[in-house]
């Protein structure tokens, strides 16, 4: 098989064929697609991407290999590929009986950033989430200015933490973060991340009163309603 390879300015390999023989188009050398079961072979590379991002200071949820595998098999992951090389990822996770879906583990490999890959991953995640959980509110919790920018231009609305899921399993995703102590001290009602929600068309979002307000006496008419109009 004829193969031509040369190193790009950032060390990236340019090739008309990937190492496995998968064609790489010159017009769009990247494929952004939903995961499939056979992608479990990319788990070591996926862990490498997440670890590299974490080591360079990014706040990325910690997921075990088993959780990553479950997401891949369940086709909740979106992969950006260059031929056979995994270069970007994002994963959708449903919470609270599918009332919420978060998009996390958004990472693009160094050397492939600022080419619109995160934008493509995000729009694929939104498309998958809308189809699979049509009534779910999509949420994002991020310290990354790039992801915040991306979210805002995708229609996410900034919200206070009391509007986020109350499911403890959701918040366990934060326990590897350097700010986790701060989050816990604030009883999961505030931290450094930007929080945003993308509500499906036609769905009215519940506006939840902060936890502290719920400590008010039940018989006090002013505080007795949990939901505001
Ligand atoms: C955050 C990250 C995924 C972005 O990936 P990317 O492929 O470079 O992003 P894109 O090229 O799609 O750009 C997304 C938006 O961010 C903006 N952006 C990207 N890099 C930027 C930078 N260095 N400074 C300012 N804005 C930037 C882009 O302009 C774009 O917005 P626009 O389309 O409105 O112009 C990537 O930088 C990364 O992996 N970082 C480390 C891990 C991390 O922090 N993940 C976030 C966890 S929540």
């Amino acid at each position: 098989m004829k193969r031509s390879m040369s190193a790009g300015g950032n060390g990236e390999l340019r090739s008309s064929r990937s190492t496995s023989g998968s064609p790489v188009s010159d017009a769009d050398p990247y494929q952004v697609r939903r995961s499939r079961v056979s992608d479990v072979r990319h788990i070591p590379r996926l862990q490498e991407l997440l670890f590299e991002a974490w080591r360079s200071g990014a706040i990325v949820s910690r997921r075990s290999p088993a959780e990553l595998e479950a997401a891949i098999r369940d086709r909740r992951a979106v992969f950006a590929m260059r031929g056979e090389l995994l270069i970007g990822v994002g994963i959708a996770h449903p919470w609270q009986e599918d009332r919420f879906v978060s998009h996390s583990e958004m990472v693009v490999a160094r050397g492939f950033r600022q080419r619109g890959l995160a934008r493509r991953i995000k729009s694929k995640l939104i498309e998958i989430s809308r189809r699979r959980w049509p009534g779910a509110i999509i949420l994002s919790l991020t310290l990354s200015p790039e992801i915040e920018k991306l979210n805002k231009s995708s229609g996410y609305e900034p919200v206070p933490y009391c509007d986020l899921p109350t499911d403890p399993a959701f918040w366990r995703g934060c326990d590897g973060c350097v700010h986790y102590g701060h989050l816990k001290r604030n009883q999961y009602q505030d931290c450094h991340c930007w929080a945003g929600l993308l509500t499906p068309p036609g769905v009215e979002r519940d506006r939840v009163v902060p936890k502290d307000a719920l400590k008010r006496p039940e018989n006090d008419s002013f505080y007795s309603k949990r939901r505001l109009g």
Side-chain angles (χ1 to χ4, degrees), residues 32-160:
V32 177
R33 60 163 178 81
R34 194 172 182 180
S35 63
R36 37 191 181 238
V37 176
S38 58
D39 286 330
V40 293
R41 70 187 185 283
H42 295 298
I43 290 176
R45 167 69 178 160
L46 173 52
Q47 287 182 291
E48 194 182 295
L49 286 182
L50 297 174
F51 178 69
E52 164 59 26
W54 173 79
R55 206 177 46 177
S56 60
I59 307 290
V60 186
S61 310
R62 274 195 198 170
R63 309 278 179 211
S64 66
E67 287 173 304
L68 297 175
E69 179 171 344
I72 290 171
R73 288 184 182 278
D74 198 25
R75 309 206 62 205
R76 290 186 277 111
V78 169
F79 280 0
M81 306 292 298
R82 190 177 195 283
E84 257 301 287
L85 182 65
L86 176 66
I87 54 169
V89 66
I91 300 180
H93 302 269
W95 305 102
Q96 280 182 217
E97 291 158 359
D98 302 346
R99 278 179 53 212
F100 293 93
V101 177
S102 63
H103 294 164
S104 52
E105 291 86 31
M106 288 281 298
V107 174
V108 170
R110 282 177 187 284
F112 293 94
R113 292 182 185 165
Q114 297 190 45
R115 299 166 192 212
L117 283 173
R119 180 168 290 283
R120 290 174 63 180
I121 293 170
K122 170 67 79 176
S123 53
K124 194 82 191 159
L125 283 170
I126 293 175
E127 181 194 313
I128 291 170
S129 305
R130 286 274 183 265
R131 221 179 303 138
R132 182 152 173 195
W133 302 282
I137 294 170
I138 299 173
L139 77 97
S140 177
L141 205 50
T142 184
L143 252 186
S144 153
E146 297 90 354
I147 298 293
E148 180 180 334
K149 186 175 174 191
L150 199 53
N151 289 339
K152 285 177 176 164
S153 65
S154 304
Y156 284 66
E157 170 195 6
V159 292

Side-chain angles (χ1 to χ4, degrees), residues 19-35:
T19 47
S20 71
S22 310
V24 173
S25 146
D26 285 341
D28 180 8
Y30 312 114
Q31 196 194 4
V32 177
R33 60 163 178 81
R34 194 172 182 180
S35 63

